[in-house]
């Protein structure tokens, strides 16, 4: 298993661009572009990166890190900007063997760690399902926990007219009514930025609208701006802007990779909320995705916000896996705390299902 600093980690990823980009076709947050961007903008210089790797029947790696203040704890190389973490990046045909080898290196590494946190995972994917079993085989305690809901729309071959006709009546009527009003307004228009020369201007608009919205300030504003530039360079950017009286009032940052559209960021100027520009712009971007990009899926990424139910048709859950090393005193203590917390939760759920006891 490799132990790397940030500069060495950047070199490691760059030398395996094809491996990461193949994984990125299914999960863009595993692509070399995303990981290198994360390392540049988010990763701290005092992080230590741990990379178990296997070259049996192809190449397989995991990307983890530890902070200096908590060297006993290792975490998935991701944060809240990414809605999915792939624990194993692999070209191996026999992924069971590859995963077992990676976990073996983590479980038997010296010096050992106390706990590893993998999240957010696709609980239906192979590596998400097999991770707990692999650690259990080495005597570690594991616990799966809920992270967030992920709303999405399978849409291969779906036309925009078909899609809108299937929306909830209230949302559909709002869209029709507001679209008619919007189209009659002088200086009202919808725009989708895809090209690199327009990206800097578009991101200035994005940040201006974001500052006038209900949302909290971004902790890493350059992260979003630079990701838009990377997306434009790769032909992925779909940045929608709604204008009224030649004033930008709503913005949505989507990106499209390998036939899937990802709704990354959105905001609107609250002063212009009466226009429902977010609804009009969402429909416009969906139409673009269905008719021009011909995507097979639209993904609303992170969270169970109520409005997402109106736009999307399916929900899946993203989960985490906590793996505790029972050979480590600290790992044993963490496992005991987690186990007792799980028992308490089960007891509360059981008690609530039984209901009150009358005497």
């Amino acid at each position: 298993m490799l132990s790397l600093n940030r500069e060495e980690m950047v070199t490691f990823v760059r030398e395996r661009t094809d491996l990461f980009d193949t994984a990125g076709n299914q999960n863009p947050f595993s692509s070399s572009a995303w990981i290198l961007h994360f390392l540049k903008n988010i990763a701290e210089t005092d992080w230590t990166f741990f990379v178990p790797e296997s070259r049996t029947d192809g190449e397989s790696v995991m990307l983890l890190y530890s902070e200096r203040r908590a060297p006993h704890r290792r975490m998935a190389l991701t944060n809240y900007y990414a809605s999915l973490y792939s624990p194993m990046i692999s070209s191996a045909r026999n992924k069971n063997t590859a995963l077992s080898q990676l976990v073996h290196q983590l479980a038997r590494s010296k010096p050992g760690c106390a706990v590893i946190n993998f999240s957010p995972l696709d609980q239906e994917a192979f590596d998400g399902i097999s991770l707990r079993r692999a650690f259990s085989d080495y005597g570690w305690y594991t616990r799966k926990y809920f992270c967030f809901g992920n709303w999405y729309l399978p849409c291969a071959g779906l036309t925009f007219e078909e899609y809108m006709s299937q929306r909830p009546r209230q949302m559909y009527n709002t869209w029709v009514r507001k679209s008619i009003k919007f189209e009659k307004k002088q200086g009202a228009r919808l725009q989708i930025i895809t090209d690199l020369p327009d990206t800097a201007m578009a991101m200035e608009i994005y940040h201006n609208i974001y500052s006038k919205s209900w949302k909290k300030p971004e902790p890493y504003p350059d992260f979003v701006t630079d990701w838009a530039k990377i997306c434009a360079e790769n032909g992925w950017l779909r940045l929608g802007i709604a204008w009224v009286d030649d004033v930008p009032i709503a913005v949505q940052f989507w990106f499209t990779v390998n036939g899937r559209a990802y709704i990354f960021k959105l905001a609107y100027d609250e002063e212009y909320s009466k226009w429902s520009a977010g609804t009009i712009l969402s429909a416009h971007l969906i139409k673009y995705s269905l008719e021009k990009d011909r995507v097979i899926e639209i993904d609303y990424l992170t969270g169970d916000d109520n409005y997402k139910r109106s736009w999307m048709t399916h929900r899946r859950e993203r989960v985490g896996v906590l793996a505790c090393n029972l050979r480590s005193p600290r790992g044993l203590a963490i496992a005991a705390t987690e186990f007792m917390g799980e028992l308490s939760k089960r007891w509360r759920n059981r008690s609530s299902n039984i209901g009150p006891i009358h005497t």
Side-chain angles (χ1 to χ4, degrees):
M1 182 169 68
L2 301 175
S3 176
L4 308 173
N5 61 32
R6 190 171 67 175
E7 289 71 25
E8 291 168 338
M9 188 68 196
V10 168
T11 299
F12 179 89
V13 174
R14 284 177 175 164
E15 290 175 348
R16 293 160 179 80
T17 298
D18 289 345
L19 177 69
F20 288 101
D21 288 351
T22 298
N25 286 332
Q26 295 300 316
N27 175 16
F29 306 112
S30 291
S31 68
S32 64
W34 179 271
I35 295 171
L36 291 171
H37 181 53
F38 183 91
L39 291 170
K40 175 184 175 182
N41 288 274
I42 306 295
E44 301 291 343
T45 56
D46 64 350
W47 287 7
T48 300
F49 300 90
F50 296 95
V51 186
E53 58 176 346
S54 167
R55 296 184 180 275
T56 301
D57 189 31
E59 185 171 11
S60 303
V61 300
M62 277 186 186
L63 304 183
L64 304 165
Y65 76 95
S66 283
E67 298 175 332
R68 178 178 294 177
R69 62 185 179 182
H72 65 284
R73 181 181 294 270
R74 292 175 190 165
M75 293 165 284
L77 187 60
T78 187
N79 73 349
Y80 49 82
Y81 280 119
S83 69
L84 182 61
Y85 170 73
S86 297
M88 184 171 71
I89 309 298
S90 177
S91 62
R93 289 186 293 271
N94 189 336
K95 289 185 168 48
N96 276 307
T97 299
L99 182 64
S100 179
Q101 290 176 348
L102 298 182
V103 170
H104 173 81
Q105 293 174 40
L106 289 169
R108 302 302 186 191
S109 62
K110 301 294 183 181
C113 69
V115 61
I116 307 174
N117 191 9
F118 300 91
S119 74
L121 306 174
D122 179 356
Q123 65 175 348
E124 298 178 359
F126 157 77
D127 42 16
I129 294 172
S130 302
L131 200 60
R132 294 183 70 190
R133 182 173 62 247
F135 273 101
S136 296
D137 289 344
Y138 288 98
W140 285 45
Y141 169 82
T142 65
R143 183 176 73 82
K144 182 176 75 172
Y145 60 92
F146 171 76
C147 290
F148 52 81
N150 167 234
W151 287 86
Y152 66 105
L153 172 75
C155 54
L158 185 68
T159 68
F160 180 69
E161 289 73 18
E162 290 170 339
Y163 167 77
M164 290 305 298
S165 70
Q166 297 165 8
R167 296 306 93 225
R169 182 174 297 275
Q170 181 179 0
M171 194 208 81
Y172 178 82
N173 290 338
T174 299
W175 169 69
V176 171
R177 186 176 68 256
K178 294 293 186 177
S179 294
I180 293 173
K181 181 180 177 181
F182 185 83
E183 290 169 2
K184 291 180 178 179
K185 177 68 176 177
Q186 185 175 2
R189 69 184 190 275
L190 301 173
Q191 180 182 20
I192 298 178
I193 302 297
T194 61
D195 297 327
L196 183 60
D198 301 321
T199 301
M201 173 273 296
M203 290 310 295
E204 286 184 14
I205 292 172
Y206 166 85
H207 287 295
N208 183 47
I209 294 174
Y210 196 97
S211 69
K212 297 176 181 179
S213 73
W214 71 100
K215 299 202 169 186
K216 297 178 181 179
E218 287 278 358
Y220 301 97
D222 290 343
F223 185 91
V224 178
T225 299
D226 291 349
W227 180 240
K229 180 181 177 182
I230 292 169
C231 287
E233 290 171 342
N234 286 280
W236 304 336
L237 183 65
R238 309 289 183 267
L239 198 147
I241 305 172
W243 302 73
V244 168
D245 293 327
D246 293 323
V247 175
I249 65 171
V251 63
Q252 295 190 14
F253 179 173
W254 295 31
F255 60 92
T256 298
V257 182
N258 196 37
R260 290 178 170 83
Y262 301 90
I263 306 174
F264 186 54
K265 291 286 181 178
L266 49 84
Y268 64 84
D269 187 337
E270 292 186 284
E271 183 180 343
Y272 294 86
S273 60
K274 67 178 182 179
W275 289 97
S276 298
T279 297
I280 298 169
L281 188 56
S282 291
H284 187 62
L285 281 158
I286 288 173
K287 183 177 183 180
Y288 187 99
S289 296
L290 295 177
E291 295 186 351
K292 188 172 181 63
D293 289 331
R294 298 186 181 278
V295 299
I296 62 173
E297 183 177 284
I298 299 175
D299 190 333
Y300 235 126
L301 299 179
T302 303
D304 277 314
D305 310 79
N306 286 332
Y307 66 87
K308 295 179 180 179
R309 302 169 185 264
S310 298
W311 294 102
M312 304 290 104
T313 57
H314 291 65
R315 179 185 182 273
R316 55 200 167 199
E317 291 189 350
R318 300 311 190 197
V319 301
V321 169
L322 196 69
C324 301
N325 183 359
L326 299 182
R327 293 182 176 85
S328 159
R330 181 171 279 168
L332 182 62
I334 294 172
T337 301
E338 294 292 331
F339 180 71
M340 293 305 296
E342 185 66 19
L343 279 183
S344 177
K345 179 180 177 182
R346 291 179 185 177
W347 175 255
R348 289 195 303 270
N349 291 339
R350 182 181 176 186
S351 298
S352 63
N353 290 334
I354 293 174
I357 298 175
H358 301 283
T359 59

